[in-house]
Amino acid sequence: MTLIKSISGIRGTIGGRVGNTLNPLDIVKFTSAYATFIRRQGGLGRDASFNNHRPTLVVGRDARISGVMVDSIVSGTLMGIGYDVVNIGLATTPTTELAVRTLGADGGIIITASHNPRQWNALKLLNREGEFLTAKDGAEVLAIAEKEDFEYADVDQLGHLINCDEADQWHVDGVLDLDLVDVEAIRNAHFRVCVDAINSVGGIILPRLLDALGVEYRILNAEPTGDFAHNPEPLEKNLSGIMEEMKTGKYALGIVVDPDVDRLAFICEDGSMFGEEYTLVSVADYVLSKTPGNTVSNLSSTRALSDVTKLHGGDYTASAVGEVNVTTQMKAVGAVIGGEGNGGVIYPESHYGRDALVGIALFLSHLAHKGCSVSELRATYPNYFIAKNRIDLTPSTDIDAILNKVKELYADQRINDIDGVKIDFPDRWVHLRKSNTEPIIRVYSEAHTMEEADALGKEIMQVVYDSI
């Protein structure tokens, strides 16, 4: 059983003892801490349609089995501390983020464990821009929780619950309104797609988006039961069902999302993987072809984004791993597109958050303009492969000393140490970073073949072993 408290929120497995899992008492504590943080930020319920004397927070959830239980506790706790709650029910992570901004709310809580298995859930915390809290703000929430430094409202100051069923439509309308989403071109292309919605909220909102785009579709695992048909992380090893369906030749494209619909993977018309790293690369290629500019992804993402950015005359910057780090860097360099190599597309013209709906609409626009198959489009991009390894250590191991030793040994190469150590060789790279939750070093390496990438990773791992 697991409970992980981090600057981005709280996540864990359901059931078990207090302090060891995501249980009702800990849900109350961390919800109360977040609400107290929002109050100290000066939340006043800024939208005239709500009570202007109380902060207003948005709550949305994915379809996990534990979602109703967690939602009830979160919403009740917020009302108990004196907040109005706009509950949008079953909703994607980006839908909830956009609802905060649309409603002029003071923040929001997303109840989702993203790609984690069914026994997990989490509270993801948003600021008044509908974006994840910064590291500094997240640390303040954890400090408030540790001290249990919060106070609840008396009976006359309790908050109200406002149920809202409009957020999905706001989200879809916002996607359709983006200048680079070419609805006419998509409709004229007469695409037929197959979607794996992994028994969560994608099965609710994606049909609405595809209908609006004039795309014919079949949805696999459409019922939002939260009882996932397979491991919900959108990786090739988990996607045999839709890959086999694509091999029937009935579809132009396969679309896969995770339970909260912020990650996006594509499958080619022949049933082969487009590659999760290439979701962002392909969308960025389209955006840059229309609006040249800069791009950002994290240090563990493919070099192909840098290659494509340079072809369009822009500059690429790498950020530390973590969505808030990516968005912070995007704002700093004025990036027109960015994201993460795990299938996370962040398009500032919409909002600063990973959004599979935005990614789907931009990709379909790109495909319609190109007039080619998905596999043909994939063949136009540089071919890289990423190997993912890990080094298990004891809790007493001095990981920083090990990383410094690696830096010294490869000082003649380009080094980036904003998040662990990344060594950029002329035709490959390796990134070592310590885990925030385990005594391990994650070792990601990329080269032109998987064999070369794995060999590079293992070469660096041996250097580490020799240093221990």
Side-chain angles (χ1 to χ4, degrees):
M1 311 302 279
T2 306
L3 181 68
I4 301 172
K5 296 170 281 188
S6 73
I7 56 173
S8 59
I10 174 174
R11 64 189 174 101
T13 52
I14 298 297
R17 299 186 64 81
V18 174
N20 294 325
T21 64
L22 189 65
N23 59 79
L25 287 179
D26 282 316
I27 293 168
V28 169
K29 181 167 79 170
F30 284 93
T31 301
S32 300
Y34 168 69
T36 300
F37 165 79
I38 292 295
R39 174 170 288 145
R40 292 176 183 175
Q41 296 295 301
L44 294 171
R46 294 169 293 144
D47 191 295
S49 62
F50 301 114
N51 188 318
N52 283 328
H53 302 291
R54 281 189 289 268
T56 301
L57 298 176
V58 176
V59 175
R61 67 178 179 90
D62 71 13
R64 288 172 184 274
I65 294 169
S66 59
V68 173
M69 180 272 288
V70 178
D71 188 352
S72 299
I73 295 168
V74 167
S75 294
T77 300
L78 293 175
M79 289 188 288
I81 213 165
Y83 286 52
D84 285 345
V85 176
V86 181
N87 195 300
I88 62 173
L90 289 169
T92 76
T93 283
T95 303
T96 309
E97 292 169 346
L98 286 163
V100 170
R101 204 170 66 186
T102 301
L103 291 166
D106 297 288
I109 296 179
I110 309 166
I111 301 168
T112 175
S114 191
H115 62 273
N116 287 102
R118 67 201 289 275
Q119 68 269 29
W120 287 79
N121 215 326
L123 311 181
K124 294 186 177 183
L125 311 177
L126 303 174
N127 62 22
R128 63 175 56 196
E129 301 302 324
E131 300 168 16
F132 290 122
L133 300 186
T134 64
K136 177 177 178 291
D137 289 344
E140 185 175 342
V141 172
L142 293 181
I144 295 169
E146 182 67 24
K147 297 176 183 177
E148 297 191 359
D149 185 17
F150 27 80
E151 182 177 347
Y152 298 97
D154 62 33
V155 68
D156 294 316
Q157 298 300 320
L158 295 174
H160 300 119
L161 179 66
I162 304 145
N163 291 311
C164 173
D165 60 4
E166 300 174 81
D168 278 358
Q169 194 59 52
W170 295 337
H171 191 176
V172 171
D173 289 344
V175 172
L176 299 178
D177 286 342
L178 293 171
D179 288 342
L180 293 191
V181 173
D182 193 335
V183 177
E184 183 178 1
I186 295 171
R187 287 175 176 160
N188 290 338
H190 304 292
F191 291 124
R192 187 165 194 259
V193 304
C194 186
V195 179
D196 185 346
I198 193 57
N199 305 108
S200 192
V201 291
I204 299 172
I205 197 168
L206 292 184
R208 185 175 290 195
L209 174 68
L210 294 172
D211 283 338
L213 293 172
V215 174
E216 187 180 352
Y217 56 87
R218 180 186 178 193
I219 308 287
L220 306 179
N221 306 315
E223 195 66 26
T225 62
D227 194 6
F228 307 138
H230 55 77
N231 185 309
E233 188 164 16
L235 302 176
E236 180 174 359
K237 63 183 180 181
N238 302 326
L239 302 177
S240 59
I242 187 171
M243 291 175 74
E244 285 300 313
E245 179 64 22
M246 289 298 297
K247 290 176 183 177
T248 63
K250 299 177 182 177
Y251 313 95
L253 173 68
I255 298 171
V256 182
V257 294
D258 64 342
D260 67 325
V261 198
D262 63 352
R263 287 177 60 178
L264 173 64
F266 297 123
I267 300 173
C268 299
E269 76 286 348
D270 59 3
S272 62
M273 289 296 295
F274 190 78
E276 65 169 346
E277 291 284 337
Y278 287 84
T279 298
L280 175 57
V281 173
S282 57
V283 172
D285 181 31
Y286 174 64
V287 170
L288 292 169
S289 72
K290 306 296 183 183
T291 53
N294 301 327
T295 65
V296 173
S297 65
N298 67 43
L299 284 169
S300 288
S301 299
T302 181
R303 184 179 284 183
L305 180 60
S306 176
D307 293 347
V308 167
T309 303
K310 290 173 182 175
L311 285 174
H312 288 287
D315 292 324
Y316 166 81
T317 308
S319 77
V321 173
E323 182 173 333
V324 69
N325 295 319
V326 176
T327 57
T328 299
Q329 188 63 37
M330 288 178 68
K331 293 173 184 177
V333 302
V336 297
I337 185 73
E340 298 182 300
N342 61 9
V345 174
I346 302 173
Y347 185 45
E349 286 297 308
S350 175
H351 64 121
Y352 280 102
R354 295 183 300 180
D355 191 331
L357 275 74
V358 169
I360 290 167
L362 291 173
F363 185 85
L364 288 173
S365 298
H366 189 27
L367 196 62
H369 287 192
K370 285 288 187 180
C372 64
S373 70
V374 177
S375 60
E376 289 170 339
L377 178 63
R378 174 63 180 82
T380 66
Y381 300 122
N383 222 21
Y384 295 106
F385 295 85
I386 293 180
K388 299 181 179 182
N389 291 289
R390 57 184 276 172
I391 301 171
D392 292 287
L393 306 167
T394 66
S396 61
T397 302
D398 189 340
I399 299 177
D400 290 331
I402 291 171
L403 295 179
N404 284 332
K405 180 66 172 178
V406 172
K407 284 170 61 177
E408 291 175 11
L409 291 173
Y410 291 92
D412 59 333
Q413 303 294 335
R414 284 192 300 144
I415 300 289
N416 188 323
D417 61 0
I418 62 171
D419 185 7
V421 176
K422 183 173 183 178
I423 308 166
D424 262 308
F425 301 93
D427 61 345
R428 61 195 70 191
W429 58 258
V430 62
H431 182 207
L432 298 86
R433 61 185 295 267
K434 59 183 178 180
S435 169
N436 293 324
T437 58
E438 304 173 82
I440 68 171
I441 295 176
R442 302 191 187 279
V443 183
Y444 288 11
S445 49
E446 181 178 71
H448 286 291
T449 70
M450 183 57 77
E451 292 75 20
E452 290 173 336
D454 195 49
L456 174 61
K458 290 190 164 88
E459 173 191 324
I460 306 298
M461 288 168 69
Q462 190 58 52
V463 171
V464 173
Y465 289 132
D466 292 342
S467 302
I468 298 176

